[in-house]
Amino acid sequence: MPPEIGIACHLRTTTSEPLLDALHRAAGAAEASGLVSWWALGDRETAVTRSHDATLGLHVVATATRGIRIGLSGDIPSLYSAPVRAKQIASLDWFSGGRVEQGIDLAPPPVALIDPLRPPAGDHLEHVLDQTAAMQALWTERRASYSGATVSFEGAIALPKPVGDRRPATHLRSTDAPTLRRYVDACGAPEGWIVTSSSSNERAPDDAVLREVLGEGADRVRTTWLVAASALPAVNEGARAAGVDEVVVCFDHIPTPSEIETLVR
């Protein structure tokens, strides 16, 4: 089967239309055209473009749609306070009616995002795992408790929780086997695996790392491939052959409804 198609974009316009109106219209057009998801670009990408806040952008998408999945493609958890981020994502989940999925970037943050008053922990990955596990506890426990090297609390009341008091589906940006193994040991297996490509010449993602760590459990992980909008025709066959579940087409601007219609034709 061909992969499903989703969309992501930087929060800027190429027309005179106000940003809010452009995003609202584009989100509605994406859903009407049969796209399955709308993703915010990750912390790493917004650091380069100095874009608007991705989570707030997704609130607009959530109110303009009713069924497509709403995704964060690359949170770097070490940049956030677990209680604050848990509340932000849970609030977005309620505005979207329970459609939010979280993408996590396990790599160290770029220098531009590091707070000089809060130097990074010695073991960045340990910090990421602590923050992620702490958010999971806040989302799923009535009185949440967590104890880690960089964050700890006991009997915390965290509201709102995501719809259904669930842990939103988690997608990891692709990484190596030792890093994935540490994540799985601390936070459980992810529901998704995100691979980003800067050009159509890059090879379609494979599941070698997932197989090494998860064995047959790799079959239950959804593979998502983020590519530039211009690369979609070139990557379609490779994605199908590799068993990619979803190709997310990334625009450097908020696409117009006509650009979205062209995409799905």
Side-chain angles (χ1 to χ4, degrees), residues 118-154:
R118 294 176 56 209
D123 183 346
H124 168 263
L125 183 56
E126 181 178 48
H127 194 181
V128 166
L129 300 181
D130 269 350
Q131 296 297 313
T132 303
M135 284 193 294
Q136 291 177 357
L138 292 166
W139 284 331
T140 58
E141 299 175 14
R142 189 178 69 85
R143 281 189 171 271
S145 298
Y146 180 77
S147 179
T150 63
V151 59
S152 62
F153 47 82
E154 185 173 350

Side-chain angles (χ1 to χ4, degrees), residues 193 204-213 215 218-219 221 223 242:
W193 186 250
D206 61 43
D207 62 356
V209 171
L210 290 171
R211 293 269 169 209
E212 180 179 344
V213 177
D219 294 331
V221 179
T223 303

Side-chain angles (χ1 to χ4, degrees), residues 54-134:
T55 307
L56 293 180
L58 286 181
H59 277 275
V60 177
V61 175
T63 60
T65 59
R66 291 293 178 268
I68 64 175
R69 292 161 36 240
I70 304 293
L72 292 152
S73 73
D75 270 10
I76 303 177
S78 61
L79 299 176
Y80 299 99
S81 158
V84 172
R85 192 58 175 159
K87 181 181 288 288
Q88 290 172 338
I89 293 175
S91 297
L92 175 61
D93 195 55
W94 278 96
F95 277 101
S96 71
R99 290 180 279 145
V100 168
E101 302 182 7
Q102 184 187 23
I104 294 179
D105 184 340
L106 299 175
V111 173
L113 291 181
I114 295 175
D115 184 346
L117 300 179
R118 294 176 56 209
D123 183 346
H124 168 263
L125 183 56
E126 181 178 48
H127 194 181
V128 166
L129 300 181
D130 269 350
Q131 296 297 313
T132 303

Side-chain angles (χ1 to χ4, degrees), residues 169-173 189-194 210 220-224:
T170 300
H171 301 252
L172 294 186
R173 287 208 176 187
E191 286 76 26
W193 186 250
I194 297 174
L210 290 171
R220 296 188 290 273
V221 179
R222 181 181 179 87
T223 303
T224 300

Side-chain angles (χ1 to χ4, degrees), residues 197-254:
S197 293
S198 58
S199 76
S200 60
N201 296 324
E202 296 193 38
R203 187 167 56 90
D206 61 43
D207 62 356
V209 171
L210 290 171
R211 293 269 169 209
E212 180 179 344
V213 177
L214 301 178
E216 293 182 357
D219 294 331
R220 296 188 290 273
V221 179
R222 181 181 179 87
T223 303
T224 300
W225 192 10
L226 270 65
V227 302
S230 59
L232 180 61
V235 305
N236 256 334
E237 281 307 311
R240 185 199 301 259
V244 171
D245 296 290
E246 180 177 351
V247 174
V248 173
V249 178
C250 302
F251 286 87
D252 66 359
H253 61 279
I254 298 171

